[in-house]
Amino acid sequence: MSQGKPAAIELTHVTLAHGRRIILRDVSLSIGQGEFIGVLGPNGAGKTTLMRALLGLIVPDAGQIRVLGKPVARGNPDIGYMPQVRSTLAGRRLRGRDFVACAADGHRWGVPHLDRAAHAAIEHALTIVGAQHLADRPLAELSGGERQRLLLAQCLLGEPKLLLLDEPLISLDPNHQASVVELVRRIQRELNITVLFSAHELNPLLGALDRVLYLGNGDAALGPVAEVITPAVLSRLYGAPIDVMRVNGRIFVMSGGVEIEKHDHQHENGHAHDESGAHAHHHHEAG
């Protein structure tokens, strides 16, 4: 982190709960501007809850969260947010451009009337994510990977400095997963923004992330993959003995011979238990 620039995200002695479950217990950590952070952890570890706390939608029980040098506030235009629940997109007859436009002034239903500056911002966002060719196609005809491009374009309206992407790889095949990770990494570098990218599994993110933030058991570990993805750290975060296997450049997190990340999520049907009902589609809606 360069001198004099505030951290993108700073937690100071934060205790955060979701219902009765303690997500973080007296956790302090700092994420620098321009970092790509993979957010991982077992089911219910609180990946969504943490993102909602950064958006000001959940207030910590103790401690302070600062975003880009300021205390957390709802509706912060410096944050772009992609929530986990996105199933409403599938049947829509909206064209790609109109779908992005729906986020431009917070109207999710119907296409708003936008001024010239808003139209320019939408075209710019489509260009950044490489989705100009999707602008006139109906959402119903697009693949999951193509829809993710449009969702990213929505997040980039208003030129945020921080992107919170909650499980953007859910229900995408491995090829689409790789292209979404690559796209987010490229955007993050081009725009020099900070990205928190939560995922079920570490491997798709390995080539992209700067550091990993692993949540579990009311605790958090933030650091390079080699320091965090270890039996000692993960055993603490899972509250159970964990083995880590490295095979052909891939990492497998194992518990008693079972690959834990796969096992952990196989009953979910695409929805994590940590989802807290977030429906904000964009930073302007967070208020």
Side-chain angles (χ1 to χ4, degrees):
M1 197 166 58
S2 62
Q3 283 299 311
K5 230 171 37 165
I9 295 167
E10 193 142 23
L11 273 59
T12 309
H13 296 296
V14 168
T15 295
L16 182 65
H18 179 234
R20 289 191 192 155
R21 201 167 56 236
I22 298 286
I23 299 301
L24 297 175
R25 188 182 285 103
D26 194 24
V27 167
S28 298
L29 58 87
S30 180
I31 290 168
Q33 288 187 39
E35 281 201 273
F36 188 122
I37 305 286
V39 183
L40 287 112
N43 259 352
K47 295 176 292 224
T48 297
T49 303
L50 174 61
M51 289 189 180
R52 286 172 60 75
L54 295 171
L55 289 163
L57 301 173
I58 296 174
V59 178
D61 297 74
Q64 191 190 42
I65 302 176
R66 292 176 76 82
V67 173
L68 299 162
K70 298 181 199 133
V72 161
R74 280 181 170 225
N76 182 347
D78 283 333
I79 305 177
Y81 174 47
M82 188 191 293
Q84 195 182 106
V85 174
R86 301 180 290 269
S87 52
T88 50
L89 300 184
R92 304 285 286 279
R93 287 192 299 259
L94 279 181
R95 296 176 312 152
R97 179 182 287 108
D98 296 334
F99 171 67
V100 177
C102 285
D105 65 353
H107 288 300
R108 284 183 58 195
W109 314 117
V111 179
H113 297 289
L114 301 170
D115 61 20
R116 188 176 295 170
H119 280 295
I122 291 162
E123 296 308 315
H124 182 54
L126 286 168
T127 303
I128 293 170
V129 303
Q132 303 99 312
H133 63 299
L134 306 176
D136 294 312
R137 291 178 55 199
L139 283 186
E141 289 177 12
L142 303 184
S143 72
E146 288 170 331
R147 284 198 202 124
Q148 289 300 62
R149 281 180 188 267
L150 295 176
L151 282 159
L152 265 173
Q154 276 196 346
C155 287
L156 293 172
L157 290 174
E159 302 183 359
K161 298 179 182 68
L162 170 64
L163 280 188
L164 305 178
L165 308 178
D166 195 1
E167 300 269 15
L169 304 183
I170 274 185
S171 71
L172 294 182
D173 67 44
N175 289 340
H176 280 135
Q177 289 192 354
S179 66
V180 167
V181 172
E182 215 170 284
L183 173 66
V184 173
R185 183 55 161 167
R186 178 178 64 73
I187 290 167
Q188 182 256 337
R189 285 186 162 152
E190 273 178 24
L191 303 180
N192 192 29
I193 56 181
T194 308
V195 172
L196 260 61
F197 188 125
S198 75
H200 275 8
E201 209 216 338
L202 181 62
N203 286 310
L205 292 177
L206 274 180
L209 48 75
D210 294 311
R211 292 196 293 169
V212 62
L213 174 60
Y214 217 110
L215 306 178
N217 223 12
D219 205 351
L222 173 66
V225 168
E227 288 175 22
V228 171
I229 311 301
T230 66
V233 173
L234 294 187
S235 296
R236 186 183 89 227
L237 295 175
Y238 277 89
I242 298 293
D243 293 313
V244 177
M245 288 175 58
R246 286 173 165 77
V247 185
N248 297 333
R250 289 171 68 80
I251 296 177
F252 300 95
V253 175
M254 312 288 289
S255 172
V258 179
E259 193 187 340
I260 201 162
E261 292 174 328
K262 294 270 194 299
H263 176 261
D264 213 26
H265 295 278
Q266 66 190 9
H267 304 300
E268 285 191 29
N269 307 319
H271 295 296
H273 304 313
D274 176 42
E275 178 49 55
S276 341
H279 291 295
H281 248 72
H282 184 253
H283 44 269
H284 292 309
E285 277 192 66

